[in-house]
Amino acid sequence: EGGRAESARRAKQHPEVVLSHHLASAAAVLGRRWLERGGGGKLQTSKFWEAEAREALPSLKYIATWLLDSHTATYEATGEAAEDVDPALLQLKVLERLAGYWARSDGDPSVQSALPTFSELQVALVVFGGDIPEALLRVARDQARRHEVARVCQKMKETDSFMVAKFRDVERALDEAGGDIDRASEILLADPKMQLAVGKLRVREELSQTMPMAHPSSKALDRVFWASGGDVAVAARALREDRIVQEEAKKVCKTWSETLNSVAADETSDFSFQILETGWNNIDAPTTIDEPDAPRLAARQEPLEFFPSRPKPLCPAGDSSLVLGTFEPEVLAARAFAADLSYASIDFAEEVQPDGTFSLCTLSYSRFEVRTTRPDGTASESFGPYRASGRGQVTHLGLLSLPMDNKVAWEDQAQCLSIVLPELEFPPHGAAPTSEEETAGERCTCFGHASTAVSEREEESCGEEY
């Protein structure tokens, strides 16, 4: 009996046993979804990561310290051990490993949400002064909140396909609803601002059926929508009869004759050009070349011109699709334009409304990008590519947010350096059990947490093994 007690006491002090205990404790609190069959298991909420998850902080601290102490770093070129590794790189590597276990939302194929990026991990470590467990909880909380926002938006889309809510508005609704997805969706659907935004989108779509090149301002839409009492058909008819809207729609598509006549009417004209692809483009070549008389040849049917004739100017007005969308406030877009990726001459630009909405035109069934410029005229973010809807139909892009900063990679931070962390084996080892019978005898009793199915003989073997 005394030998078993001494063996158990020594086993409790063994670093591998202590690590196994902390791994089991952390998995019991935070979950072990990466080991569940088919990616099952419960998805933790952002509220969980803010409160209940802090119970696992002591175990996470031990695990992070063990990983830091057990790493191996070598130079890739020579294979020699690297002794002067920046501690911040090691902390980042450990946080990346732990985030791969818990900061994830897979297993829910119906909703797609962005996973944490490398830059996000760096920022979390800086905010918490290199505290890996605290940074992990923050990263996991942010990722869970993104998943909740995506679920709310999907719920709203199922009710009204025109409904678009900005990230901050969805966050406020989630806080008001206590994290309840259905309740947050109901709050946003009943919000007068959301209803106004949906009504304005419906008015634009109705107007595009008869005036495809009409893009009224957000202020004009507000005026006619409230004056019509929320009637989409009445508001669209009022805009069709508006003189300003009619004049702006006529300005969109001009023939070459109209363009040249307007230029010729000015005393001074400035012309600019840009050569996108170099080649047989020589603007200073002589217009006439003295050549010797060549013998006359039989007439041929195919054209002999080296340069093909200039194609007729294209305008999407006759075969266009209306593009509707909304920018998040962080985009800071003053002007947006749809740039066709198939025909370089088909671009359409409009100012972004104060509420972030934009209305553009593009060639139907074409591939295009939405590019933006800042108030100072410099280029800003680009979105896409997208596929336009058919002729006379509306292409809804929904809410466009700033892409997550994922330009920084591990190779950029640790060039020519290889850092390897040991694998973590979460007890119980092997496949996840499916019944109580399979769990019998799988837990060590060194810390006094014996399974109800563990027999006295298995307890003896556990004490003698170490």
Side-chain angles (χ1 to χ4, degrees):
E1 184 70 26
R4 287 200 304 271
E6 178 63 20
S7 177
R9 184 188 66 80
R10 291 198 305 269
K12 290 173 61 176
Q13 298 175 354
H14 194 281
E16 298 290 340
V17 176
V18 177
L19 174 65
S20 181
H21 167 70
H22 285 292
L23 289 173
S25 300
V29 177
L30 306 180
R32 42 195 298 131
R33 298 192 65 257
W34 69 94
L35 291 179
E36 300 289 345
R37 288 190 176 94
K42 180 183 178 182
L43 275 173
Q44 306 294 3
T45 64
S46 57
K47 295 292 184 183
F48 168 84
W49 293 107
E50 292 175 352
E52 292 94 331
R54 302 190 67 82
E55 182 182 346
L57 278 178
S59 295
L60 291 175
K61 290 181 182 296
Y62 185 91
I63 296 170
T65 302
W66 186 84
L67 287 173
L68 288 173
D69 295 339
S70 305
H71 79 277
T72 57
T74 58
Y75 294 107
E76 294 181 350
T78 62
E80 298 178 356
E83 304 294 343
D84 54 346
V85 182
D86 187 353
L89 289 178
L90 300 178
Q91 295 171 353
L92 190 59
K93 191 70 173 180
V94 172
L95 178 58
E96 184 184 32
R97 167 68 65 82
L98 298 180
Y101 291 123
W102 288 294
R104 52 196 298 166
S105 61
D106 51 354
D108 189 359
S110 60
V111 179
Q112 294 183 353
S113 56
L115 294 176
T117 64
F118 198 81
S119 298
E120 190 176 356
L121 301 181
Q122 286 181 307
V123 172
L125 278 175
V126 171
V127 170
F128 290 98
D131 192 323
I132 298 175
E134 290 286 358
L136 172 65
L137 297 189
R138 172 60 63 86
V139 170
R141 181 266 174 199
D142 293 344
Q143 197 281 328
R145 175 49 64 97
R146 287 194 294 269
H147 189 71
E148 292 168 351
V149 170
R151 291 180 59 194
V152 171
C153 292
Q154 183 191 49
K155 198 78 175 178
M156 294 166 55
K157 286 286 186 182
E158 293 173 355
T159 305
D160 190 339
S161 60
F162 281 81
M163 183 62 70
V164 175
K166 298 179 180 180
F167 190 91
R168 301 306 175 193
D169 294 333
V170 180
E171 275 200 313
R172 285 192 290 269
L174 281 169
D175 293 338
E176 183 179 346
D180 187 276
I181 303 298
D182 294 333
R183 177 59 183 152
S185 177
E186 294 173 358
I187 292 174
L188 290 171
L189 289 172
D191 191 339
K193 293 192 304 182
M194 298 293 106
Q195 294 177 354
L196 174 61
V198 170
K200 290 161 66 175
L201 287 176
R202 293 187 185 278
V203 172
R204 287 187 184 275
E205 184 175 26
E206 180 72 18
L207 181 63
S208 68
Q209 301 303 317
T210 54
M211 299 180 66
M213 307 306 288
H215 301 274
S217 65
S218 180
K219 185 179 295 185
L221 284 168
D222 289 340
R223 174 174 51 80
V224 298
F225 187 77
W226 291 121
S228 65
D231 191 311
V232 174
V234 174
R237 184 168 60 252
L239 287 173
R240 282 196 297 269
E241 298 172 355
D242 190 288
R243 181 177 56 83
I244 298 178
V245 174
Q246 294 175 358
E247 292 178 355
E248 292 295 328
K250 293 178 180 178
K251 293 179 181 179
V252 173
C253 180
K254 290 184 178 181
T255 64
W256 270 106
S257 299
E258 294 174 341
T259 303
L260 294 176
N261 289 334
S262 62
V263 171
D266 298 333
E267 295 183 357
T268 58
S269 301
D270 295 329
F271 293 92
S272 61
F273 66 92
Q274 180 182 8
I275 299 177
L276 299 178
E277 297 181 2
T278 58
W280 297 97
N281 300 301
N282 192 4
I283 61 174
D284 61 346
T287 57
T288 59
I289 300 177
D290 296 332
E291 297 181 353
D293 295 335
R296 299 182 61 86
L297 300 176
R300 303 177 64 178
Q301 299 297 327
E302 62 269 21
L304 298 179
E305 293 187 13
F306 182 82
F307 294 101
S309 60
R310 187 184 185 282
K312 295 182 178 180
L314 299 175
C315 180
D319 193 12
S320 64
S321 172
L322 182 66
V323 180
L324 298 179
T326 306
F327 290 121
E328 282 275 17
E330 292 82 2
V331 177
L332 298 177
R335 192 172 181 83
F337 64 96
D340 196 286
L341 300 180
S342 301
Y343 300 96
S345 59
I346 302 183
D347 292 341
F348 185 91
E350 277 288 336
E351 292 184 358
V352 178
Q353 302 300 318
D355 58 357
T357 59
F358 60 90
S359 174
L360 304 171
C361 276
T362 190
L363 191 65
S364 60
Y365 297 114
S366 66
R367 292 177 67 252
F368 68 97
E369 288 183 344
V370 176
R371 301 171 185 172
T372 61
T373 56
R374 300 184 181 89
D376 59 1
T378 57
S380 184
E381 300 292 336
S382 296
F383 303 88
Y386 303 104
R387 175 70 67 178
S389 300
R391 180 176 184 177
Q393 300 179 6
V394 178
T395 304
H396 292 280
L397 302 184
L399 185 66
L400 302 184
S401 306
L402 283 175
M404 296 188 66
D405 185 7
N406 198 22
K407 299 179 182 178
V408 181
W410 175 256
E411 292 76 10
D412 301 329
Q413 301 296 314
Q415 295 182 357
C416 305
L417 188 65
S418 175
I419 300 177
V420 179
L421 300 178
E423 291 293 333
L424 296 178
E425 298 182 3
F426 288 80
H429 307 300
T434 57
S435 62
E436 294 184 1
E437 289 77 6
E438 296 183 29
T439 63
E442 290 188 0
R443 296 181 61 184
C444 177
T445 60
C446 300
F447 290 89
H449 301 291
S451 172
T452 56
V454 177
S455 63
E456 179 180 354
R457 176 173 150 188
E458 289 167 342
E459 285 185 332
E460 294 179 3
S461 64
C462 179
E464 295 172 356
E465 182 178 355
Y466 299 102

